[in-house]
C-alpha cells in the first residue's frame, strides 16, 4: 500500500514527505524553494539539491525522479499481475467447486 501511495504521488508530481517535510508546492522544496530533483529511498521523500547534500540524506541512496517513478511503476505492475493470476486461480477453483456440487 505504501509503494502504491508513493507511486501515485510521484506520478502526480507530489512530494512524499519525510521527517524534514521537504514537500513540494508550486515552488518545490518548502524549506529551500528549490526544484525537487531526486527521490530518497530510505526516507521515501522527494529532495531538492540542497536537502540531498544535508547530513540527514547525504549517505542515503537517491534516484532521479523519472527512474524512481519507473521502478515503482514496474513494482506495481508486477504485483498487479500476481493479484490477477491469483484471482484467475480462485475463479477457476470456484467454478470447479460449483460444477462438483452440481
Amino acid at each position: 500500500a505504501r509503494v502504491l501511495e508513493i507511486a501515485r504521488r510521484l506520478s502526480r508530481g507530489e512530494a512524499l514527505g519525510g521527517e524534514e517535510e521537504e514537500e513540494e508546492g508550486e515552488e518545490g522544496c518548502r524549506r529551500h524553494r528549490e526544484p525537487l530533483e531526486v527521490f530518497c529511498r530510505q526516507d521515501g521523500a522527494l529532495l531538492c539539491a540542497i536537502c540531498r547534500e544535508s547530513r540527514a540524506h547525504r549517505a542515503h541512496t537517491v534516484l532521479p525522479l523519472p527512474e524512481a517513478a519507473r521502478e515503482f511503476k514496474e513494482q506495481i505492475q508486477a504485483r498487479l499481475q500476481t493479484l490477477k493470476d491469483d484471482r484467475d486461480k480462485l475463479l477457476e477453483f470456484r467454478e470447479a467447486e460449483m460444477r462438483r456440487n452440481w
Side-chain angles (χ1 to χ4, degrees):
R2 178 160 165 73
V3 171
L4 181 59
E5 180 61 25
I6 289 169
R8 281 185 187 142
R9 288 182 177 187
L10 283 174
S11 69
R12 292 190 306 239
E14 293 180 12
L16 301 175
E19 294 175 6
E20 297 180 14
E21 296 296 320
E22 296 100 354
E23 291 193 20
E24 170 188 20
E26 289 297 316
E27 66 281 349
C29 174
R30 283 187 185 174
R31 179 176 281 168
H32 304 111
R33 303 289 187 239
E34 294 286 327
L36 300 171
E37 301 172 348
V38 294
F39 175 75
C40 175
R41 280 189 174 183
Q42 282 80 354
D43 294 330
L46 296 175
L47 305 175
C48 71
I50 298 169
C51 291
R52 164 66 181 109
E53 296 303 319
S54 71
R55 275 186 274 144
H57 301 283
R58 190 176 301 145
H60 292 176
T61 303
V62 296
L63 298 170
L65 291 183
E67 186 177 332
R70 182 180 45 77
E71 281 189 16
F72 281 114
K73 185 176 179 179
E74 289 171 359
Q75 289 176 6
I76 290 168
Q77 288 176 339
R79 290 181 178 154
L80 179 61
Q81 186 59 47
T82 300
L83 289 171
K84 287 179 179 179
D85 293 344
D86 289 347
R87 182 195 64 200
D88 291 343
K89 288 177 188 176
L90 287 170
L91 290 174
E92 288 174 16
F93 177 75
R94 178 178 166 217
E95 187 177 320
E97 284 298 309
M98 290 179 72
R99 274 183 285 176
R100 193 179 68 118
N101 287 336
W102 280 103

